[in-house]
Amino acid sequence: MDGRFGKAGAVGGKLLFAGALGLLAFQMSGRTATEPAAAPSPPAAKAPAPIAQAAPPPAAAPVALPAAAGDDAFVVRRVLDLKAPLHHGEYAWDDAGVPQGPIVITIDLAAEMLSIFRDGYEIGAAPILYGADSKPTPLGTFPILQKDAHHVSNLYGAPMPYAMRLTNDGVFVHASEVSWDAATHGCIGVPKPFAQKLFAQARIGDKVIITKGRMMDVSGLRGPA
């Protein structure tokens, strides 16, 4: 289903960070760095110099987790290393050097973020539009049922470029004008240039996993694997 309208209760000016989905059993461990001991005091002072403790690293941006393990679980090898938050209407893409492999698309409604993984490597991320309270976007795992680069909604007569059908009752991922104060009739809207890249990567049967606020730490996953 397509259609854009104002989203009640939207948070103005909210900055979104790139997200990604990971294996439920995947665990990360943090390390606290220490600096070398300070130089010793003059011979008259016998007390040892204290060891200075480095400040803890900044918290990593959270990424989405699937609702359950099993078929929905996969190994995340890398997430995109973004230098700044993404605003609505922006996107990030970097598939240089990433091997061919299975495609998994993850969507977290709480973070308002879609990520695409190829062989476990995040290659793209973008803020999204999603269904308003009266037309909510469903949660769960959905295989892509249909692809149509020039789809037009049979309910609203609206163009839905680069549409990928998730459900038989009209929920798609498709290109849209993405702004923080808008919503859809249940579909997932992404910026058109990003939608075109997404459409080119995904195949019929590829999984799209939609969650709402299940997060994990991704410390250590940024950059090359």
Side-chain angles (χ1 to χ4, degrees):
M1 291 178 286
D2 188 56
R4 300 174 69 254
F5 51 91
K7 178 169 63 176
V11 180
K14 181 163 108 179
L15 300 182
L16 302 176
F17 291 82
L21 177 128
L23 181 65
L24 278 175
F26 190 85
Q27 296 181 347
M28 305 297 304
S29 60
R31 296 180 180 177
T32 303
T34 57
E35 298 177 359
S41 303
K46 301 299 183 180
I51 297 176
Q53 193 76 13
V63 296
L65 278 174
D71 291 342
D72 288 351
F74 69 99
V75 175
V76 174
R77 305 178 191 278
R78 184 200 72 178
V79 296
L80 291 172
D81 187 12
L82 298 182
K83 303 304 182 185
L86 292 172
H87 298 76
H88 286 87
E90 298 178 339
Y91 72 92
W93 191 275
D94 182 8
D95 61 354
V98 174
Q100 295 300 316
I103 294 291
V104 177
I105 296 171
T106 72
I107 299 167
D108 181 48
L109 301 183
E112 300 183 29
M113 184 65 58
L114 180 150
S115 290
I116 175 173
F117 292 84
R118 190 172 76 204
D119 196 34
Y121 295 81
E122 186 183 33
I123 59 173
I128 62 168
L129 298 183
Y130 63 97
D133 291 343
S134 60
K135 298 283 187 179
T137 299
L139 304 179
T141 300
F142 305 91
I144 296 173
L145 303 175
Q146 175 193 7
K147 294 177 62 183
D148 183 358
H150 307 289
H151 189 76
V152 176
S153 171
N154 59 0
L155 293 177
Y156 304 102
M160 301 164 60
Y162 304 109
M164 300 189 295
R165 180 187 291 273
L166 304 184
T167 72
N168 290 323
D169 61 354
V171 176
F172 290 78
V173 176
H174 63 83
S176 183
E177 294 183 12
V178 179
S179 59
W180 71 265
D181 58 346
T184 73
H185 289 96
C187 289
I188 298 295
V190 295
K192 189 172 182 178
F194 182 81
Q196 186 175 12
K197 292 177 176 290
L198 196 68
F199 189 91
Q201 289 287 326
R203 300 289 182 265
I204 301 294
D206 286 345
K207 292 179 181 178
V208 178
I209 304 174
I210 304 177
T211 61
K212 190 172 185 179
R214 292 180 61 82
M215 303 294 181
M216 66 176 288
D217 186 6
V218 293
S219 302
L221 282 180
R222 287 177 170 77

